[in-house]
Amino acid sequence: MSLPRLLAGAQERTAFLAAHEATHGRLPARTRDELFEMVDAAGLRGRGGASFPTAVKLRSVAEQRGPRAVLVNGAEGEPMSAKDQVLMRLAPHLILDGALAAAIAVDAQEVVVAVHKGAVETGVAIRRAVQERVAGVKITVRDVPVAYLAGEETALIRFLDGGALLPTAAPPRPFERGLRGQPTLVQNPETFAHLALIARHGPTWFRELGTPAHPGSTLVTVAGAVRQPGVLEMACGTPLERVLAAAGGVTEPVRAVLVGGFHGVWIGADDIRRTTLDDESLALHGGSLAAGVIVALPGTACPMVELAKTVHWLAEQSAHQCGPCRNGLPAIVGVLDAMAVGRADATARERLQRWSGDLLGRGACRLPDGAVRFLNSGMRVFAAEVADHEQQGPCDACRRPMTLAVPRTSEWVAA
């Protein structure tokens, strides 16, 4: 089957149950074992960032005792991403199909859908879809703050349970103890939508697109120096050049492409042609598809400013509850700021490297790890620009607007 899959027939005026079933048909009943085997054979990985095998999560929750819950994590804390918001707005019933199928399979009594408060139209669409449902499983829609940490599953669960928006160190993990202490299956909206399609069409159909190791299609948010920024559905394994072409092509020569968002990695201009949209290709650069963000950095932008200001933003978004976020990231920001204006001493790079290594794996969540990945990748790809700033201070491009400036949700549409 060709694309689109997730966005087939998806238009705001047809985001109703009757139109949804006219496009996709009714969701067939599947036994627990049947659904687990289908998802496993399909090779579905989570589309929220960690790329964890979905079948493993399903079985892990099903093996626990007592009441269980399903959480659709639509908080989408990654600021450059809008794919889940667009999907929830245009195809809410496909997401609910997957969440309800998963809930029945793991014997959950409740489905909770989290939507961030800034996505007003998305909230309206998902609530309208819930009202059209008659299901034996309770479905609740909850608004959550517009914050980077809202997308972190343990912080989200703590907030939904009435606590502060702060991550909790593992264990126990959410599949062991999540919402109200219940074993909880947490997936992002896109993952549940794929699950609904696999339940309809089977694993062989799902694998007709993508690569053997990274099958299926994926939603990406394309931004930066492209003519038609927006949300696209692409086959996994698609060359990055083709992704940019699908977004209308570039508006000017591109210095690099950021893949994965603020926790992602930079792909230099020379590597764009031979890099594809799958974790195996991106692993060669130390990254993964993560939140599905693709940003083309124009050659007229200042990479040093993009690095320094983005890491600064991440430091401000942190919970400030553990050493890496309370002390480590602010220290790194100070060095980056000094390098950007040509006031860093000879030990600046060595300190950045050493401090970055000290942060890895020591936070209560993965925010410090992601910030370090983003920074180290940028320092490698933009080595020449970094050296120029160290030696000469600010460049002419420093005064240009940032390419990675956080966009408004309403700016994004399905391209």
Side-chain angles (χ1 to χ4, degrees), residues 58-389:
L58 285 165
R59 289 192 172 101
S60 296
V61 174
E63 290 169 357
Q64 305 300 310
R65 295 181 178 179
R68 305 171 184 90
V70 168
L71 173 58
V72 182
N73 184 356
E76 200 160 30
E78 166 60 53
M80 297 298 293
S81 178
K83 68 182 184 71
D84 287 327
Q85 295 166 44
V86 166
L87 186 63
M88 284 191 287
R89 192 172 78 239
L90 301 185
H93 282 292
L94 195 60
I95 297 162
L96 294 180
D97 279 349
L100 288 169
I104 293 169
V106 302
D107 196 23
Q109 286 73 51
E110 181 180 15
V111 171
V112 177
V113 183
V115 184
H116 80 60
K117 293 179 180 178
V120 177
E121 294 175 354
T122 297
V124 170
I126 198 73
R127 285 183 169 88
R128 183 173 59 193
V130 169
Q131 290 173 357
E132 290 190 284
R133 293 283 176 153
V134 178
V137 178
K138 179 182 177 183
I139 310 173
T140 305
V141 181
R142 297 281 302 276
D143 291 324
V144 299
V146 182
Y148 196 76
L149 283 175
E152 203 282 326
E153 61 180 18
T154 64
L156 176 60
I157 287 170
R158 176 182 275 185
F159 174 82
L160 293 174
D161 279 346
L165 190 65
L166 297 173
T168 56
R173 299 303 305 169
F175 78 87
E176 298 168 309
R177 184 171 181 174
L179 287 168
R180 291 180 292 284
Q182 304 173 63
T184 302
L185 174 68
V186 186
Q187 296 282 14
N188 78 316
E190 184 187 343
T191 308
F192 281 116
H194 282 297
L195 188 152
L197 292 178
I198 292 168
R200 282 179 168 88
H201 305 293
T204 301
W205 170 89
F206 185 74
R207 286 184 173 275
E208 288 176 0
L209 292 178
T211 70
H214 204 152
S217 65
T218 189
L219 295 178
V220 291
T221 309
V222 188
V226 293
R227 290 186 175 85
Q228 298 169 6
V231 175
L232 300 171
E233 184 175 2
M234 307 295 296
C236 296
T238 300
L240 279 184
E241 271 195 331
R242 196 178 302 169
V243 176
L244 299 180
V250 298
T251 56
E252 61 179 279
V254 170
R255 173 65 182 87
V257 172
L258 176 65
V259 180
F262 283 14
H263 279 184
V265 296
W266 294 95
I267 310 298
D270 294 339
D271 292 323
I272 293 174
R273 180 170 298 178
R274 51 180 173 263
T275 302
T276 53
L277 204 63
D278 56 89
D279 286 352
E280 287 65 39
S281 177
L282 294 167
L284 300 176
H285 302 275
S288 67
L289 189 56
V293 172
I294 312 291
V295 184
L297 185 73
T300 52
C302 174
M304 188 71 231
V305 167
E306 303 285 345
L307 292 179
K309 290 191 174 181
T310 301
V311 175
H312 193 151
W313 186 87
L314 285 170
E316 290 180 338
Q317 286 289 304
S318 75
H320 306 290
Q321 68 171 343
C322 58
C325 286
R326 190 170 56 246
N327 303 313
L329 286 180
I332 285 175
V333 168
V335 175
L336 281 175
D337 287 345
M339 293 172 71
V341 297
R343 295 178 182 173
D345 59 36
T347 67
R349 289 208 197 194
E350 185 275 330
R351 280 182 288 150
L352 275 185
Q353 185 176 9
R354 175 162 45 86
W355 292 346
S356 294
D358 290 343
L359 263 60
L360 291 175
R362 297 188 177 183
C365 68
R366 295 299 181 185
L367 189 149
D369 292 1
V372 167
R373 183 185 308 114
F374 171 89
L375 172 61
N376 288 345
S377 172
M379 294 291 287
R380 181 174 62 255
V381 172
F382 305 126
E385 290 89 343
V386 172
D388 286 344
H389 276 76

